[in-house]
């Protein structure tokens, strides 16, 4: 960028944030009905009191509203490229990102989808940052959107208790690595040997081929996971990833002012704070009111915390997520003086 000193390097800087959650709040009481296990159990074991559920809206619809908020917050009319991260695409083909770009009035810019489980937003940050640092683009709109309620078995009340729908977005612009809002190195990793711990086994090529080979064979279109097997790994995995990202930033864990982690489960968030040796108050959370919004949980929380003043300029912040793949990611930044446009339905 013009005016950069010899000591600084080109970086990707947070310029604006947006979020959208559907208006319908599904409470524990409504979800559980007359079941003996109800509100108190869900609050205690998962930390969720209600979650937002999309009625008549799809993943792209939510993405457009969050993306528009991020552009408005940044005072930008568009972006040079758009990345959509999701694990609940509206269609297998085509990708949803070009439609999001068109509906936002961004024209024929490069736009593509990225799928990496609930860590997709962190992977998206790594990809979008690289696109800017390389000099190929001056701005990238990164949107994370999930209508994961569409992939939850309606007869599985426990899965329905965990997940909610929502979308979050961030506009990244070219800037200097030493200015507030510049992303530090992004720590990413996977363990594909445990891919079957969290999955939607139906609708893909593997399931379709099996059905063709054995007509009448059944496959599930719904999400399933081995919760106990994932829980401990998620805590340790995010702790290790955050530690690496913080070290690459030249910080210590004690210098962190806030951690924004994937809102998987309040017990996981509490365990992560303990593992990192941080006061629980530094671990931001909105899972009680919104549940686990999958890929969107980190950017939705970022936008809401910014709008509410919980994230303030100058704070040292770590972002982290862990999910299907298995895949994980973390990043750091000094929080900038930035706007967020939030739409709570």
């Amino acid at each position: 960028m013009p005016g950069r000193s010899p000591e600084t390097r080109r970086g990707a800087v947070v310029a604006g944030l947006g979020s959208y959650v559907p208006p319908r709040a599904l409470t524990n009481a409504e979800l559980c009905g007359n079941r003996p296990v109800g509100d108190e159990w869900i609050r205690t074991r998962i930390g969720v009191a209600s979650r937002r559920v999309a009625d008549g809206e799809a993943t792209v619809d939510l993405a457009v509203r969050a993306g528009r908020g991020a552009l408005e917050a940044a005072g930008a009319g568009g972006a040079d490229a758009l990345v959509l991260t999701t694990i609940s695409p509206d269609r297998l083909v085509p990708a949803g990102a070009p439609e999001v770009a068109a509906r936002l009035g961004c024209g024929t810019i490069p736009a593509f989808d990225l799928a990496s489980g609930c860590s997709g937003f962190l992977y998206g940050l790594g990809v979008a940052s690289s696109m800017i640092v390389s000099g190929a683009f001056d701005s990238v709109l990164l949107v994370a959107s999930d209508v994961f309620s569409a992939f939850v078995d309606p007869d599985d009340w426990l899965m329905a208790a965990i997940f909610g729908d929502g979308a979050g977005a961030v506009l990244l612009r070219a800037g200097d690595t030493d200015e507030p809002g510049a992303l530090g190195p992004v720590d990413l990793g996977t363990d594909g040997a445990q891919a079957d711990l969290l999955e939607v086994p139906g609708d893909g090529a593997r399931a379709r081929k099996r059905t063709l080979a054995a007509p009448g064979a059944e496959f599930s279109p719904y999400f399933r996971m081995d919760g106990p097997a994932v829980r401990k790994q998620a805590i340790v995995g995010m702790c290790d990833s955050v530690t690496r990202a913080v070290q690459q930033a030249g910080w210590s864990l004690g210098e962190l002012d806030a951690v924004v982690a994937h809102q998987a489960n309040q017990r996981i968030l509490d365990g992560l704070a303990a593992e990192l040796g941080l006061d629980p108050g530094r671990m931001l959370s909105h899972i009680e009111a919104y549940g686990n919004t999958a890929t969107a949980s980190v950017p939705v929380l970022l936008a809401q915390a910014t709008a509410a003043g919980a994230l303030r300029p100058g704070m040292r912040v770590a972002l982290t997520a862990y999910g299907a793949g298995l895949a994980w990611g973390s990043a750091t930044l000094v929080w900038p003086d930035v706007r967020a446009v939030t739409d709570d339905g």
Side-chain angles (χ1 to χ4, degrees), residues 14-342:
V14 173
L17 300 111
S19 69
Y20 172 71
V21 291
R24 182 189 169 197
L26 176 63
T27 65
N28 289 343
E30 182 182 354
L31 176 68
C32 295
N34 295 322
R35 291 186 179 90
V37 175
D39 179 67
E40 183 179 355
W41 189 93
I42 295 173
R43 286 174 183 264
T44 302
R45 300 295 293 270
I46 305 172
V48 180
S50 68
R51 68 287 300 148
R52 298 302 180 91
V53 178
D55 287 330
E57 292 179 296
T59 295
V60 163
D61 299 322
L62 271 61
V64 169
R65 296 184 71 153
R68 183 175 294 118
L71 292 173
E72 178 184 338
D80 294 338
L82 187 147
V83 179
L84 172 65
T85 73
T86 184
I87 56 173
S88 57
D90 291 343
R91 297 174 287 191
L92 290 179
V93 177
E99 184 179 353
V100 175
R103 288 173 58 178
L104 288 174
C106 294
T108 57
I109 62 171
F112 60 91
D113 288 7
L114 186 157
S116 192
C118 289
S119 63
F121 180 72
L122 271 299
Y123 270 76
L125 285 177
V127 170
S129 175
S130 296
M131 293 167 68
I132 290 174
V133 171
S134 71
F137 302 91
D138 285 331
S139 63
V140 177
L141 180 61
L142 173 62
V143 187
S145 179
D146 273 310
V147 179
F148 205 63
S149 60
F151 291 82
V152 173
D153 187 342
D155 294 325
D156 188 341
W157 70 270
L158 179 56
M159 287 295 112
I162 295 171
F163 291 98
D165 302 330
V170 58
L171 180 68
L172 297 174
R173 62 164 176 83
D176 295 333
T177 54
D178 61 355
E179 67 177 288
L183 288 173
V186 181
D187 177 80
L188 302 171
T190 65
D191 180 5
Q194 301 188 78
D196 60 349
L197 291 184
L198 301 98
E199 63 173 352
V200 178
D203 292 340
R206 181 176 299 174
R208 288 169 181 263
K209 282 293 186 180
R210 286 175 178 171
T211 303
L212 290 173
E218 295 184 0
F219 61 88
S220 174
Y222 299 121
F223 175 74
R224 64 189 185 192
M225 69 173 174
D226 185 338
V230 172
R231 189 177 301 114
K232 184 176 181 180
Q233 293 188 65
I235 294 171
V236 174
M238 285 192 287
C239 177
D240 290 346
S241 183
V242 167
T243 299
R244 288 190 295 269
V246 167
Q247 289 174 342
Q248 291 179 60
W251 304 346
S252 67
L253 290 173
E255 291 178 297
L256 286 175
D257 296 303
V259 175
V260 179
H262 170 50
Q263 304 288 289
N265 178 306
Q266 188 59 49
R267 286 187 168 185
I268 289 177
L269 296 175
D270 294 341
L272 177 58
E275 194 77 15
L276 291 170
L278 298 177
D279 183 287
R282 299 189 192 183
M283 186 70 58
L284 302 191
S285 173
H286 69 179
I287 192 170
E288 181 179 10
Y290 298 97
N292 176 346
T293 53
T295 313
S297 72
V298 170
V300 170
L301 181 51
L302 284 174
Q304 291 179 341
T306 299
L311 285 176
R312 300 179 299 278
M315 294 178 68
R316 294 188 175 190
V317 180
L319 318 177
T320 189
Y322 195 98
L326 296 172
W328 56 86
S330 297
T332 59
L333 71 162
V334 174
W335 202 248
D337 186 4
V338 67
R339 286 188 64 223
V341 174
T342 60

